[in-house]
Every structure is written in C-alpha cells, then in structure tokens.
C-alpha cells in the first residue's frame, strides 16, 4: 500500500534481505560497528539531565551486532559521547558492554577521552583525564581507542603539546591502541586538531606520533570524510599499523582497497548496515571485490544522507532506523536528540533504507513510519 511521504508517494517493499545471524568469522578485514545507545523513554528527565539509558535494549543491540560477526566500537561518537552521554554514563556503558562481550565472545574496543572535564583545563589535567579513562577501559578487558579531545584542542598551544600528550598516553597503555582523528564536521570543537587547521601540517604531526610509537599503535581511525587523504595516510603508516576507515561517505572503495593496500573499518554507518556489511565482507573474504562493491555501493546514498551537514546529528537517523527495524520500541534519544533532524530527512532515510531491504520486518517499519507521520501532522 502506498505511503505518502513528504517527498512524494512511495510503495514500500514487502520482503527484506535474507541476512540471518551466524556465518564464518570475518577474515580479510577487521570490522567494528560504532553502536548507539537506547534511551529509557519513561525516565522523567530534562534534556540537560544525565542520560537515562535502557540497558537491556542497549546491550541487546550489541548482541545483535556480535551475532553477525562484527566487532563493537563502544562509547564512541555514535553513542552520543558529549551529545547527551556524559562520562559517568559512558563509564557504565563501557563496564556493561565489556562484560557482555566476554559472555558472548564478542570483540570490543572502547573510546577513551577527557569528557569528565567540564571547563578549561591544563595539559596536565587533560593527561590525567585520559589516564583515568584508559585505566577503566583496560580494567574492563576492552581494547582502547584514544579519541580526540575537546579539552586538548582547547589547551594545546601547538603540535608539540599533542606530541607530548600522546607520547605520555601511549607509554601508559598496556596494549596497542587505536588512535582516532575525528574531524570538525563531526565536532566543531575539534577544529585545528594536532596543532594546525592546515590538514597537511596536522597529518604530519599525526604520523609523527605513530612513527615514534609503532609498537603501541594497533591502528588509526580517520574520520575526515576525505578518501584521498585517508589513502595517503594509509600508505605512509609503519608496517603492522592498521588503518580503520571512519569515512561514512566513501567506505566501500576504502575497504575494498587498491594494489597498495586497504582499510579495515570502524564506522557509525555499520550500526544500521551491520548484517549487510558483515555479509559483504564475507564475500570480500572470497576474493570477489566486485561482488563486495555491488553489495555496499548502493548503501552509500543512505549513508551520505544520514551524515549530511550538520554531520554530528547523524545519530538521530541511526537511532530512527533502529526503531523502524524493531531493535527498540521507541524513537526517544538521550538528550532529546530525536528532534535534531526534520521529518523530511527522516522520511527520506526510511525510503532509502527500505529500498535496500534493511528492515527485517518491512510491515513493522512501514507502520512505524506512518505513526511518525501522523504524530507530526505529515499525513497530507
């Protein structure tokens, strides 16, 4: 039956893709999905209150990702770090998810930042905040992802402050970590990270950190939405240091790679694409790069839509699709972020996801889309 969306009439599909859990372990690429958190819709809180998390639904979604063979990147930008989820909430999320990972044999890596700092901080305070979070992640048994820090961006006077801070942290780490460079399109407070707004200069500092501590760096995650720069950095990494693409605009070509290498993946878009992404990587494991591209290339339109400017609000679309897919019973987000995207934006996300066959129950997705349209007066 036709559904009348803001962009026009649409005929929903009736059958989903056949993407059952299970399957062989992913072999040719290491793939993490950055996972969202599920809010408690019945919590009596205001938008600036500490997050009220539905822990059962949140952990169930992680089990969904693990069941398809994906790793979980926990307490990252996708989990609304700094946009509804404070450090206390993130710490609890890390502890609970790491314990769940152990119980099911799932791979997990967790974000380490400085978001317990709520005002201007010195470099020493930034280092101490990083150390506190690093200790918690390592005690939980998860791999650490050293995230970009708003506090460091504000406190650093130049590249040397970044070099000294990261050298200190890498010496502290007991196991190799992932370094994360998050661009200002995801967080405007990170403009000029690595000591310069000139990306060539910043890249040089970033690579110097890695070159001086290659034994402490498992890999890097670049989230700049710039495929050419990622490829350039990837080719300049020391041997044994992985590149995990964080490019939600160009991931199929970056994961497929070229004759000089490829990227692994740590992506927010693999939250809604998890089962399909895992299936595509298993196809890539057979050596069939074209079939891999045939599966993932059509998803780029959806990803670019979800991550369109202002990019930092992509989480709204991710949680919206999780609701439509039946992974949670509501479209409520911590911090009230469900209001961050327009009804036309969400309706287009529904159409693009439905065309891809991403919804396990297309009728449920259609019913929920109709309900959202009705509640928001969009039934004309």
């Amino acid at each position: 039956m036709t559904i009348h969306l803001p962009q026009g009439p649409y005929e929903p599909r009736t059958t989903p893709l056949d993407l059952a859990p299970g399957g062989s372990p992913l072999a040719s690429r290491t793939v993490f999905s950055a996972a969202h958190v599920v809010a408690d819709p019945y919590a009596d809180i205001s938008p600036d209150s500490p997050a009220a998390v539905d822990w059962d639904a949140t952990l169930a979604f992680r089990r969904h990702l693990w069941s398809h063979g994906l790793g979980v990147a926990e307490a990252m930008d996708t989990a609304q770090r700094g946009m509804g989820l404070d450090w206390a909430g993130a710490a609890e999320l890390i502890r609970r998810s790491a314990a769940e990972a152990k119980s099911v044999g799932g791979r997990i890596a967790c974000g380490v930042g400085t978001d317990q700092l709520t005002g201007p901080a010195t470099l020493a305070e930034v280092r101490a905040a990083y150390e506190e979070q690093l200790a918690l992640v390592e005690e939980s048994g998860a791999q650490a992802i050293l995230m970009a820090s708003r506090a460091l961006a504000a406190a650093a006077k130049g590249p040397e402050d970044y070099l000294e801070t990261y050298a200190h942290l890498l010496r502290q780490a007991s196991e190799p970590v992932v370094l994360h460079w998050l661009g200002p399109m995801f967080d405007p407070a990170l403009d000029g990270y690595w000591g310069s707004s000139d990306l060539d200069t910043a890249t040089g500092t970033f690579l110097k950190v890695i070159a001086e501590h290659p034994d402490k760096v498992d890999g890097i995650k670049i989230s700049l939405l710039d495929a050419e720069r990622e490829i350039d950095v990837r080719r300049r990494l020391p041997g044994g240091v992985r590149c995990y693409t964080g490019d939600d605009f160009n991931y199929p070509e970056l994961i497929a790679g070229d004759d000089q290498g490829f990227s692994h993946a740590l992506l927010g878009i693999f939250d809604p694409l998890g089962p399909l992404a895992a299936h595509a990587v298993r196809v890539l494991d057979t050596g069939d790069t074209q079939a891999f591209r045939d599966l993932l290339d059509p998803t780029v339109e959806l990803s670019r839509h979800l991550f369109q400017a202002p990019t930092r609000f992509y989480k709204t679309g991710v949680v919206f699709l999780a609701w439509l897919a039946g992974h949670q019973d509501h479209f409520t987000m911590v911090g009230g972020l469900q209001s961050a995207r327009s009804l036309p934006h969400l309706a287009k996300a529904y159409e693009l996801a439905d065309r891809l066959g991403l919804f396990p129950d297309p009728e449920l997705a259609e019913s929920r889309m109709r309900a959202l349209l009705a509640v928001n007066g969009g039934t004309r």
Side-chain angles (χ1 to χ4, degrees):
M1 183 183 297
T2 300
I3 180 171
H4 292 276
L5 302 172
Q7 63 268 29
Y10 172 66
E11 194 74 27
R13 65 184 291 160
T14 58
T15 58
L17 294 176
D18 182 13
L19 298 170
S24 58
L26 307 187
S28 63
R29 304 291 189 272
T30 300
V31 182
F32 289 96
S33 166
H36 72 279
V37 294
V38 182
D40 177 356
Y42 292 109
D44 185 12
I45 58 173
S46 63
D48 57 357
S49 299
V53 176
D54 181 336
W55 292 112
D56 289 342
T58 294
L59 295 176
F61 188 77
R62 280 130 183 87
R63 291 193 297 272
H64 154 72
L65 295 172
W66 285 318
S67 76
H68 286 275
L70 299 168
V72 168
E74 188 56 275
M76 302 290 291
D77 186 57
T78 306
Q80 297 182 239
R81 286 289 290 271
M83 289 185 69
L85 189 72
D86 61 13
W87 167 235
E92 184 67 11
L93 179 63
I94 289 167
R95 283 190 287 262
R96 288 178 181 249
S97 291
E100 196 72 16
K102 290 177 185 176
S103 72
V104 302
R107 183 165 187 167
I108 187 168
C110 299
V112 171
T114 63
D115 44 330
Q116 66 270 58
L117 300 173
T118 58
T122 65
L123 288 174
E125 290 169 333
V126 170
R127 286 195 298 270
Y130 263 129
E131 287 177 336
E132 177 189 355
Q133 296 199 16
L134 178 60
L136 185 146
V137 169
E138 291 191 333
E139 288 167 6
S140 76
Q143 184 178 16
I145 303 170
L146 292 187
M147 301 168 66
S149 162
R150 294 175 181 173
L152 179 55
K157 299 296 189 286
E160 287 303 320
D161 287 339
Y162 287 89
L163 291 169
E164 291 175 8
T165 298
Y166 277 90
H168 177 84
L169 294 170
L170 290 172
R171 287 193 296 268
Q172 297 293 314
S174 60
E175 299 290 341
V177 307
V178 176
L179 295 181
H180 186 191
W181 183 359
L182 190 70
M185 68 288 295
F186 288 94
D187 187 342
L190 298 177
D191 187 36
Y193 212 73
W194 304 110
S196 177
S197 294
D198 179 82
L199 286 178
D200 290 337
T201 302
T203 297
T205 303
F206 182 53
L207 287 169
K208 187 174 182 181
V209 170
I210 300 161
E212 292 179 352
H213 308 275
D215 59 322
K216 287 297 188 76
V217 181
D218 164 72
I220 63 168
K221 170 176 158 57
I222 304 178
S223 298
L224 298 176
L225 305 182
D226 183 339
E228 290 185 5
R229 182 164 298 277
E230 178 174 321
I231 292 169
D232 173 65
V233 172
R234 187 174 75 195
R235 292 174 177 173
R236 296 163 66 185
L237 292 173
V241 176
R242 296 183 177 100
C243 178
Y244 294 94
T245 187
D247 189 332
D248 300 278
F249 282 7
N250 304 291
Y251 51 93
E253 66 183 89
L254 291 165
I255 297 170
D258 53 34
D259 57 1
Q260 297 185 56
F262 57 82
S263 294
H264 300 270
L266 199 166
L267 287 161
I269 190 57
F270 281 4
D271 180 302
L273 293 184
L276 179 56
H279 173 61
V281 173
R282 288 189 178 93
V283 170
L284 185 60
D285 290 345
T286 69
D288 194 339
T289 302
Q290 186 57 55
F292 166 81
R293 293 294 300 269
D294 290 345
L295 286 165
L296 277 197
D297 282 357
T299 69
V300 171
E301 184 180 5
L302 170 63
S303 189
R304 291 190 175 212
H305 177 73
L306 295 180
F307 285 79
Q308 69 182 223
T311 302
R312 63 189 181 276
F313 295 123
Y314 76 88
K315 298 96 165 172
T316 301
V318 165
V319 175
F320 172 66
L321 293 181
W323 172 55
L324 294 184
H327 293 297
Q328 54 194 78
D329 294 331
H330 59 85
F331 179 38
T332 302
M333 298 177 65
V334 298
L337 209 63
Q338 67 271 13
S339 65
R341 291 294 201 190
S342 69
L343 185 63
H345 176 93
L346 297 175
K348 186 63 176 180
Y350 159 72
E351 178 184 343
L352 292 172
D354 185 69
R355 289 188 187 280
L356 291 168
L358 295 184
F359 300 127
D361 184 344
E363 290 186 6
L364 174 66
E366 178 188 345
S367 172
R368 289 183 170 183
M369 186 69 238
R370 289 183 184 278
L372 186 72
L373 289 169
V375 168
N376 287 277
T379 56
R380 67 180 185 276

